[in-house]
């Protein structure tokens, strides 16, 4: 079956309204939109008198932990999570891919009639037979708005600023999935929704501080080391940075502290591709690839999913990753050669 909506908002709202003990989950390693989605819908259903059971699996970045209140969700780092006793509906948000739902895959497969979903990705599997899929939405929380409106739950208290509301969780998903309204997906509808959420009492300044200004003290020191390792190649179009285990030790940082660091060289006009290599074992380097969208509509860009595939990695067109079985400096040479090949081939 094609990955598209199979029900309308009124039909899905009726399923949700009838549930007393809904199980809410999302993809492994939830990001701001995934967490925002389960919290937003969980809060809306709680307002209707239900007892939502929110279950999350995999590491969660500490920058978004404060979106939830203590005890608002259950969490396992790895392993299975089955719905709590009395579960009468399972809601899968921000994904429709079996590969991202290992933590509850067996249960979902065994109970398809109880599974519904809301997603904004273009591709997915038949995880939720009854689902709303809207790839025109920049975040899954945006796709939830018409559903929560259908349920008749207010998004927030109004102009009084309040934390831990439906609106705040929605705003967090919208802001993080659009790079705080900078990415191409941030269109007129996104800005209209942002305005509505702010008018519902979202404290965007508190959220920005919590999500984007929560670095560890060692992070700028690690950034300095990465930048001092920066080498340009391919006429300045490719930037490659390296971080060794010694760099992490000297700055008191961990891999968790890397978020977004690969993007630093993107501020340079000529740079099309940025690669960050991190030594994970003496002979194993982890590569993160990023590329810029085209400078003009329909213009050329580098498909880093394609580049990462050369090393059995993958991801998205503008963000991908791979593991390279070589020491850091050798891995840097290998990556530069792959970029040269790609760009010579007319990319
Ligand atoms: Mn998302």
């Amino acid at each position: 079956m094609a990955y598209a909506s199979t029900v309308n908002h009124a039909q899905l709202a009726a399923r949700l309204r009838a549930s007393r003990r809904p199980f809410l989950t999302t993809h492994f390693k939830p990001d701001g939109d995934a967490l925002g989605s389960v919290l937003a819908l969980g809060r809306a259903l709680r307002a209707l008198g239900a007892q939502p059971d929110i279950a999350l699996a995999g590491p969660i970045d500490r920058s978004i932990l404060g979106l939830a209140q203590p005890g608002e969700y259950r969490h396992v780092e790895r392993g299975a999570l089955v719905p709590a006793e009395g579960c009468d509906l399972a809601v899968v948000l921000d994904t429709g891919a079996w590969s991202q739902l290992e933590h509850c895959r067996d249960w979902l497969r065994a109970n398809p009639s109880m599974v519904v979903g809301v997603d904004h990705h273009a591709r997915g599997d038949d995880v939720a037979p009854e689902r709303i899929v809207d790839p025109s939405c920049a975040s899954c929380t945006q796709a939830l708005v018409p559903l929560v409106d259908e349920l008749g739950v207010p998004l927030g208290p109004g102009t009084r600023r309040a934390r831990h509301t439906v609106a705040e969780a929605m705003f967090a998903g919208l802001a993080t999935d659009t790079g705080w309204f900078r990415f191409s997906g941030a269109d007129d509808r996104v800005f209209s929704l942002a305005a509505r959420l702010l008018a519902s009492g979202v404290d965007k300044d508190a959220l920005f501080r919590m999500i984007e200004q929560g670095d560890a003290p060692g992070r700028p020191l690690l950034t300095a080391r990465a930048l001092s390792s920066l080498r340009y190649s391919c006429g300045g179009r490719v930037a490659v940075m390296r971080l060794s285990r010694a760099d992490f030790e000297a700055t008191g940082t961990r891999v968790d502290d890397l978020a977004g660091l690969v993007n630093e060289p993107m501020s340079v006009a000529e740079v099309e591709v940025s690669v960050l290599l991190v030594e994970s074992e003496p002979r194993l380097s982890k590569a993160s690839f990023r590329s810029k969208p085209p400078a003009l509509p329909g213009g050329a860009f580098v498909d880093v999913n394609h580049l990462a595939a050369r090393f059995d990695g993958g991801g998205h067109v503008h963000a991908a990753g791979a593991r390279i079985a070589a020491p850091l400096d050798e891995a840097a040479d290998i990556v530069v050669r792959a970029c040269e090949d790609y760009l010579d081939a007319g990319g």
Side-chain angles (χ1 to χ4, degrees):
M1 200 190 298
Y3 193 60
S5 294
T6 59
V7 293
N8 62 34
H9 291 105
Q11 289 167 321
L12 197 60
R15 289 290 305 267
L16 293 169
R17 206 180 280 112
S19 172
R20 297 293 81 208
R21 189 82 172 115
F23 172 77
L24 271 56
T25 195
T26 182
H27 57 79
F28 187 80
K29 208 176 163 185
D31 58 6
D33 187 32
L35 181 59
S37 295
V38 291
L39 293 176
L41 187 60
R43 288 167 188 170
L45 295 176
R46 190 176 291 282
L48 293 173
Q51 278 189 289
D53 168 28
I54 299 177
L56 305 173
I60 306 175
D61 198 284
R62 65 164 180 262
S63 66
I64 56 172
L65 290 176
L67 290 175
Q69 290 188 291
E72 201 171 356
Y73 61 81
R74 301 188 281 141
H75 176 233
V76 292
E77 202 70 28
R78 63 190 69 215
L81 262 179
V82 292
E85 189 77 14
C87 166
D88 52 12
L89 187 71
V91 191
V92 177
L93 298 170
D94 198 33
T95 182
W98 287 119
S99 61
Q100 294 188 305
L101 291 162
E102 244 174 86
H103 57 282
C104 54
R105 187 168 55 192
D106 295 344
W107 191 94
L108 296 175
R109 277 195 200 280
N111 299 278
S113 65
M114 286 173 70
V115 184
V116 300
V118 179
D119 191 15
H120 71 123
H121 292 94
R123 273 188 288 273
D125 305 316
D126 205 18
V127 171
E130 289 192 12
R131 59 182 177 256
I132 286 173
V133 178
D134 187 352
S136 78
C137 289
S139 70
C140 183
T141 60
Q142 185 183 2
L144 284 173
V145 172
L147 198 60
V148 173
D149 285 344
E150 186 74 40
L151 290 170
V153 177
L155 304 183
T159 47
R160 178 176 63 80
R161 287 188 177 185
R163 294 290 324 272
H164 302 116
T165 59
V166 174
E168 181 187 271
M170 286 177 164
F171 189 92
L174 194 64
T176 55
D177 259 19
T178 59
W180 289 83
F181 309 100
R182 287 172 300 139
F183 299 162
S184 55
D187 58 10
D188 54 336
R189 290 165 54 217
V190 166
F191 280 90
S192 295
L193 175 57
R196 181 181 167 195
L197 295 173
L198 293 179
S200 302
V202 171
D203 188 342
K204 72 171 167 50
D205 304 330
L207 275 185
F208 186 83
R209 177 166 181 162
M210 181 188 87
I211 298 174
E212 304 297 333
Q213 298 180 320
D215 284 352
R219 163 63 190 245
L221 306 176
L222 189 68
T223 304
R225 283 172 176 254
L227 289 176
S228 71
S229 79
L230 176 71
R231 294 287 177 273
Y232 293 111
S233 58
C234 302
R237 295 170 73 190
V238 175
V240 179
M241 301 183 293
R242 282 157 293 161
L243 284 172
S244 67
R245 289 159 77 115
D247 290 321
F248 287 95
E249 269 162 44
T251 54
T253 51
R254 301 177 306 165
V255 181
D256 295 3
D257 295 306
L258 283 173
L261 204 159
V262 62
N263 294 309
E264 290 284 338
M266 290 303 204
S267 61
V268 175
E270 290 80 4
V271 171
E272 292 288 333
V273 181
S274 176
V275 186
L276 174 63
L277 291 160
V278 174
E279 178 183 30
S280 77
E281 285 164 36
R283 293 201 53 83
L284 183 66
S285 305
K286 279 192 178 177
S288 300
F289 298 84
R290 295 291 184 277
S291 66
K292 284 180 185 166
L296 296 168
F301 63 90
V302 175
D303 179 352
V304 291
N305 184 32
H306 193 276
L307 262 178
R310 292 181 175 221
F311 308 104
D312 289 326
H316 304 279
V317 173
H318 296 300
R323 292 156 166 271
I324 301 175
L328 212 48
D329 293 350
E330 207 178 297
D333 293 339
I334 293 170
V335 164
V336 167
R337 278 201 298 277
C339 291
E340 284 169 352
D341 273 9
Y342 179 95
L343 293 169
D344 286 349

